[in-house]
Structures are given as C-alpha cells and as structure tokens.
Amino acid sequence: MFPLERLKFIPTPFYYYDTEVLNQTLQQLKKEADKYGFIVHYALKANANDKILNTIKQYGIGADCVSGNEVKKAIETGFKPEHIVFAGVGKNDDEINYALNNSIFCFNCESLQELEIINELAAAKNKIAHIALRINPNVNANTHKYITTGLEENKFGINLWELEAVTGALKIFKNLKLIGLHFHIGSQITDLGAFKSLCLRINEIQGWFENHKITIENVNVGGGLGVNYHEPDTYLVVDFASYFKLFNDFLELRPDQKVHFELGRAIVAQCGTLISKVLYIKKGVNTNFAILDAGMTELMRPALYQAYHKIENISKDSQQSAISNSQSAMYKYDVVGPICESSDCFGKAVTLPETQRGDIIALRTAGAYGEVMSSAYNLRNRVKAVYSDEL
Ligand code: LLP
C-alpha cells in the first residue's frame, strides 16, 4: 500500500499522508453524521497540518480549538467563525479577546471564574459572548489515564454540584449568552458503552436544566472515538455508523436541539504514517536494537503514554510479498530512536523480518497527535510531511 519506489528517495524521517484515506474517512463521516443532522467540528489539536486542514474544511465541517492560535489557524484556513468552538481550562485574556473579536460560535467554559472573565472582556467590547458550560459528567471512558477527562478527579469541566452557583451567576453576567452544554469524557475510546453512559448522564443533566427552566439549544458531546492501532489496514475508516447511531438512539433531545461532535483522532489517525530509516542494528544483552532516524521528537505517543503503533519494515515486506510463499525468518527487535532518553522507544520485542541499515520502517496510525506533538528537542530538525497525491 505504500509507494516504496518513491518513498525510498525522500530524506527521512517524514510523515506520509495518504490523502485518499483521509477523503474516504471524511466522506464516511459526513454521510453518517448527516443521517441525523449532527454537526461535526474537527479537533485541530489532533493535526493542524495545512493541507490536512484544507482538505477537512472542504467537507463543510466546523473547527474545535483549544488555543488562540488554533482559533487563528482555523480562521486563516477558511473555517467560518460561526462554526468554531473554543475549549480549554486555561484560556488567557489575549486568546479570549481574539475569539471575541472574531465572533466565534461558542466558548466552551470550564469554570465560574472563566465565565466571569469572559463576561468582563465581552462587556469591554460591548459584545455578547456565546458560551456553553463544559460539564464534568463523571463518566469513566475506560481509556488511558492520561487521556481520560470526564472524571471528577480530572481538571476539566464544571462539576455537577457547582451547577446551581454557575447558573445563578449567569443571570448576573449580562454579556454572556448560554447557548449549550458541552461534554468530553476522554480520547481513544473504543468501548462504545462509555458513550452510552455519557448519553444517559446527559439526559439526566438535561432534566436538571429543564427543572430550572433553562433552555438549551446545543448539546456538544465532545470527541474521543478511538481507532484500531493494531490492525490499521482492516480498520482504515472507523465505524462512524455505529457511533452516530448510538447517540441518535440514546440521547433524549428536546425540541429543536442540535447535537455537536468534536472528533480529532477518528478523522486523521489512519491517514498518517511516520516513515523512518534504520540507522544501525545493535546487539544488546537479551535483544537486538533497531535504531531508527526517527524518535520521540517525531512521534511522542509511545514515550509519553506507552502507546502502541504498528511497526512495519516496508522494505522487507515488499520483498517478501514478491517471493511467493516466503517463510523467511522473523526476528525480535527493540525499535528505538536516536534521542538521548531511555523512553525513546517505539516498541519492545517487535517481530520483524531480518532488518538492516537502510531499511524503511513505517510507524502506522500516526496521523493524529503525531506531527502536531513533534518537537525540536536535541535541536532536531522539525519533521516534514509528504502527501500521496503529490508524489
Ligand atoms: N474535544 C476536547 C475538549 C478534547 O479535549 C479533545 C481531545 C477532543 C475534543 C478530541 O478528541 P479525539 O476525538 O481526538 O479523541 N495526545 C493524546 C490525546 C489527547 C486528547 C486531548 N483532547 C494522544 O496522543 O493520545
């Protein structure tokens, strides 16, 4: 599936984006969301690469931003301000002012003090800021602890017991207009049951607002839909049909309410691959190391979350598929990067065909939280990107 004959002449490491996979994913996403009139915002934090953003924008979806620069990027890319939502526990005054100046659709607000500040800044501009309350639903997403966000122990959102105080304050904050509720329970969620629990909790919370005679126009259920890191080729496009159907089945909507989603990973993960070359094979005590020219600076997820990315030796895989019925020997390697950190390891005891200096290694499912989390640590060059439709 990789155009090896072309890729092998491009200096490594780089991200390879398969634009066809991205377009297929977006088509499927639109088709399934449109069935129910659901509104999707793309979470820029997953990948803010210009070409990726331009492609996504063409599908007429909105943008979910978590910093002033993301809001700016979304606007510069051509996402309409009225389709931009802005979340985050720590929005600073400049970021809030920038979003106010551009009249974005909604601030997803995470604390009483934040509401107070947005109200003040909006008043200074004689504007009414549209806000949604990000409510911490205390639902377990059953995912990695670093990417769980919807539990009371997490820093995100307004807790249920604070609702009385917050809605009371909203009556005084004349420059805020409450237009919705916002939830996000975590990322890389593969158990759809967690989303069902979220729907049931939202139904209860909606009851609370109804009892308090507060009308809610928009319900934003966040993102978090997970992808299959182990079998990317079998599950190139996630099962959007079951995901959206679940919300349609379990969310009890009030008349004229709109449902919003903020998906990042599910849209971009499978279209991206980190392509690297083997620099050295080094014998260890119990293992061999395959030392790559890409490291945690290009793809941080394994070092940060012990995240799994499928590792393939695409030089050897292509040779093997050429030799029919090849039963060539497989070996185990610790696949590591060049950075001066022991955690700079992409996988331990990874089974690969015999691997040599110069072989091309693909780290799959790296389109989300890959390039965007890359760094220049060790004064490394910033990682480049190439696109299937430009080769
Ligand atoms: N909405 C909010 C409020 C979020 O915090 C996030 C992700 C999303 C939407 C998009 O979630 P997604 O659909 O992509 O799961 N760096 C980590 C993931 C951090 C996710 C942070 N929030 C990783 O590499 O796994």
Coordinates of all heavy atoms in Angstrom, one line a residue, residues 206 210 215-219 252-259:
Q206 N -29.9 17.2 31.4 CA -30.9 18.0 30.7 C -32.1 18.2 31.6 O -32.7 19.2 31.6 CB -31.2 17.3 29.4 CG -30.1 17.3 28.4 CD -30.6 18.0 27.1 OE1 -30.8 19.3 27.2 NE2 -30.7 17.4 26.0
E210 N -34.0 21.6 32.6 CA -35.4 21.8 32.4 C -36.1 22.2 33.6 O -36.9 23.1 33.6 CB -36.0 20.5 31.9 CG -37.1 20.6 30.9 CD -37.2 19.3 30.1 OE1 -37.2 18.2 30.7 OE2 -37.3 19.4 28.9
T215 N -33.4 26.9 28.9 CA -33.5 26.2 27.6 C -32.1 26.0 27.1 O -31.3 27.0 27.1 CB -34.3 27.1 26.6 OG1 -35.5 27.4 27.3 CG2 -34.6 26.3 25.3
I216 N -31.8 24.8 26.6 CA -30.5 24.5 26.0 C -30.7 24.3 24.5 O -31.5 23.3 24.1 CB -29.9 23.3 26.7 CG1 -29.7 23.5 28.2 CG2 -28.6 22.8 26.0 CD1 -28.7 24.6 28.6
E217 N -30.0 25.0 23.7 CA -30.2 24.8 22.2 C -29.2 23.8 21.6 O -29.5 23.2 20.6 CB -29.9 26.1 21.4 CG -30.8 27.3 21.7 CD -30.1 28.6 21.3 OE1 -29.6 28.7 20.2 OE2 -30.1 29.5 22.1
N218 N -28.0 23.7 22.2 CA -27.0 22.9 21.7 C -26.4 21.9 22.7 O -26.1 22.4 23.8 CB -25.8 23.8 21.1 CG -26.3 24.7 20.0 OD1 -26.5 24.3 18.9 ND2 -26.5 25.9 20.4
V219 N -26.3 20.7 22.3 CA -25.6 19.7 23.1 C -24.4 19.2 22.4 O -24.5 18.7 21.3 CB -26.5 18.5 23.4 CG1 -25.8 17.5 24.3 CG2 -27.8 19.0 24.2
E252 N -31.7 11.8 24.6 CA -33.1 12.3 24.5 C -33.1 13.8 24.3 O -32.8 14.6 25.2 CB -33.8 12.0 25.9 CG -34.1 10.5 26.0 CD -34.4 10.2 27.5 OE1 -34.6 11.1 28.3 OE2 -34.5 9.0 27.8
L253 N -33.3 14.2 23.1 CA -33.2 15.6 22.7 C -34.5 16.3 23.0 O -35.6 15.8 22.9 CB -32.8 15.7 21.2 CG -31.4 15.2 20.9 CD1 -31.2 15.3 19.4 CD2 -30.3 15.9 21.7
R254 N -34.4 17.6 23.3 CA -35.5 18.5 23.4 C -35.8 19.1 22.1 O -34.9 19.1 21.2 CB -35.2 19.6 24.5 CG -34.7 19.1 25.8 CD -35.7 18.0 26.4 NE -35.4 17.7 27.8 CZ -34.8 16.6 28.2 NH1 -34.4 15.7 27.4 NH2 -34.6 16.4 29.5
P255 N -37.0 19.6 21.9 CA -37.3 20.1 20.5 C -36.3 21.2 20.0 O -35.8 22.0 20.8 CB -38.7 20.8 20.7 CG -39.2 20.2 22.0 CD -38.1 19.8 22.8
D256 N -35.9 21.0 18.8 CA -35.0 21.9 18.1 C -33.6 21.9 18.6 O -32.8 22.8 18.3 CB -35.5 23.4 18.2 CG -36.8 23.6 17.5 OD1 -37.0 22.8 16.5 OD2 -37.7 24.4 17.9
Q257 N -33.2 21.0 19.5 CA -31.9 20.9 19.9 C -30.9 20.4 18.9 O -31.3 19.4 18.1 CB -31.8 20.0 21.2 CG -31.8 20.7 22.5 CD -31.6 19.9 23.7 OE1 -31.7 18.6 23.6 NE2 -31.4 20.5 24.8
K258 N -29.7 20.9 18.8 CA -28.7 20.4 17.8 C -27.7 19.7 18.6 O -27.3 20.1 19.7 CB -28.1 21.6 17.1 CG -29.1 22.3 16.2 CD -28.4 23.1 15.1 CE -29.5 23.6 14.1 NZ -30.4 24.6 14.7
V259 N -27.1 18.6 18.0 CA -26.1 17.9 18.6 C -24.8 18.1 17.9 O -24.7 18.1 16.6 CB -26.4 16.3 18.6 CG1 -25.4 15.6 19.4 CG2 -27.8 16.1 19.1

